[in-house]
Amino acid sequence: MLTMIIFVAALGAMAAGLAGYLVARRGGSTENLDGLLAEQARSAQARAARASFSSIAMHSTYGLTTDQLGKYDK
């Protein structure tokens, strides 16, 4: 029983340490201009992907109509 308590405590400490490390890492600023430009490019790409793959974007398009289906059967 004692070993189980120690195991759970160690697992909890590792989880808390990992969470603290990730929070501290995310809050830090970028070291140089190259990193800042890379972050801005990734953010813009993610923003464009969220906009283009949203349910509104997917459901607002018109698919092939039935009279267009035979056009591509060649």
Side-chain angles (χ1 to χ4, degrees):
M1 184 71 177
L2 181 62
T3 56
M4 185 64 144
I5 293 172
I6 293 172
F7 175 73
V8 170
L11 192 61
M14 285 183 6
L18 180 62
Y21 171 75
L22 292 175
V23 166
R25 183 175 175 219
R26 181 157 175 87
S29 61
T30 304
E31 296 291 326
N32 56 19
L33 181 61
D34 292 333
L36 179 62
L37 293 174
E39 281 183 27
Q40 287 176 345
R42 273 188 247 121
S43 295
Q45 184 180 10
R47 192 170 30 256
R50 281 193 301 272
S52 65
F53 296 130
S54 70
S55 63
I56 293 172
M58 291 292 137
H59 294 293
S60 67
T61 60
Y62 299 104
L64 290 174
T65 58
T66 55
D67 49 329
Q68 290 176 326
L69 290 175
K71 182 177 175 183
Y72 299 106
D73 284 342
K74 298 178 185 178

